[in-house]
Amino acid sequence: MVLDGGKQHVQDEEKQRLLLDDHKEKHFTASEVVRDIIIGVSDGLTVPFALAAGLSGANASSALVLTAGLAEVAAGAISMGLGGYLAAKSEADHYYRELQREQDEIDTVPDVEAAEIADILSEYGLGPEEYGPVVTSLRNNPKAWLEFMMKFELGLEKPDPRRALTSAATIALSYVAGGLVPLLPYVFVPKAGRAMAVSVAVTLAALLFFGFVKGRFTGDRPFLSAVQTTIVGALASAAAFGMARAVQSI
């Protein structure tokens, strides 16, 4: 009977392994990188376009518009990248401050922290007889206990140590990529007014494409994402252009 039980256990484990192999979950886990790309490209498509359109309305030459636009793209990429770096660095600093505070609480008031584990698990419908062994196991494993409290009590995930630099580079490069799109027509079209018309068409097409790709990566409906991104980007560009023209008229 013992042998039969052991054989059945092995069979159950093998069956579970096969089920896991057959079931491949498709979750998107690069949300932070996508967020940085969205921030960079969206601003890159909008701000340089508004600047170029405003200068075009002031009868500036394409060469002048291009020079000013490239200068803005460079400055904007540095500024946006620095902002991304500082934001990610602040998140990491906050995590490690809370990590140390939580560790101190586990060391000084372990019974209170253990009671908090029970409260958290009870919110998921577990009773004392079910969460009791879990609490005991975590108390015997200080590292896992600390990680549990950080994740389930505070809702904080351990940050990637390279996150700040990655965020800065991603946002900056995305800003450059987006910013060059509305400026390209001014390279090939000498008349700024005509170049602006081409820039509008190219920027709208870029927004459509960007929104479609964003939808594919994030799991949204690609066509709906494309339309939403284009509308939001167009409204933002129009607002920025209107403000630029208003300033010029003063």
Side-chain angles (χ1 to χ4, degrees):
M1 294 297 292
V2 175
L3 292 177
D4 290 342
K7 183 178 180 180
Q8 180 64 40
H9 179 69
V10 172
Q11 290 177 343
D12 291 342
E13 287 186 342
E14 180 66 18
K15 183 178 180 181
Q16 184 177 14
R17 186 185 65 80
L18 291 174
L19 286 172
L20 290 175
D21 289 340
D22 292 337
H23 177 64
K24 302 296 183 182
E25 295 188 1
K26 298 180 180 179
H27 295 296
F28 187 73
T29 58
S31 58
E32 291 181 337
V33 175
V34 170
R35 182 192 64 185
D36 291 341
I37 293 175
I38 291 172
I39 292 173
V41 173
S42 298
D43 280 13
L45 286 170
T46 303
V47 179
F49 168 77
L51 173 65
L55 290 174
S56 299
N59 296 321
S61 65
S62 288
L64 177 60
V65 173
L66 182 61
T67 301
L70 290 175
E72 194 287 324
V73 168
I78 294 172
S79 175
M80 295 287 292
L82 180 60
Y85 176 86
L86 293 176
K89 187 67 166 57
S90 297
E91 290 179 1
D93 291 343
H94 172 67
Y95 175 87
Y96 287 109
R97 282 195 302 271
E98 292 302 319
L99 182 72
Q100 185 58 55
R101 183 179 293 113
E102 193 64 35
Q103 181 65 70
D104 293 341
E105 291 177 354
I106 289 175
D107 293 337
T108 56
V109 285
D111 292 338
V112 174
E113 292 298 297
E116 290 179 353
I117 298 176
D119 289 340
I120 293 170
L121 294 177
S122 65
E123 293 178 357
Y124 289 89
L126 276 67
E129 69 284 353
E130 295 167 316
Y131 63 64
V134 178
V135 174
T136 302
S137 297
L138 287 175
R139 294 193 68 163
N140 293 331
N141 189 340
K143 183 178 179 181
W145 187 0
L146 181 60
E147 292 177 354
F148 179 90
M149 299 305 289
M150 291 297 293
K151 181 178 294 185
F152 291 98
E153 182 191 18
L154 302 179
L156 296 176
E157 296 283 349
K158 184 177 181 179
D160 186 338
R162 298 171 297 178
R163 170 63 187 151
L165 290 176
T166 300
S167 178
T170 302
I171 292 177
L173 292 175
S174 299
Y175 188 91
V176 171
L180 291 177
V181 172
L183 297 179
L184 283 177
Y186 294 92
V187 176
F188 304 103
V189 182
K191 292 185 178 181
R194 186 175 298 175
M196 185 183 73
V198 178
S199 178
V200 170
V202 170
T203 302
L204 289 176
L207 285 168
L208 277 170
F209 176 75
F210 173 63
F212 183 87
V213 173
K214 176 170 68 73
R216 289 291 299 272
F217 273 97
T218 58
D220 296 332
R221 288 181 289 179
F223 289 103
L224 179 61
S225 175
V227 172
Q228 290 177 338
T229 302
T230 303
I231 292 175
V232 172
L235 290 175
S237 298
F241 173 67
M243 293 177 64
R245 293 300 297 269
V247 171
Q248 289 176 0
S249 64
I250 296 178

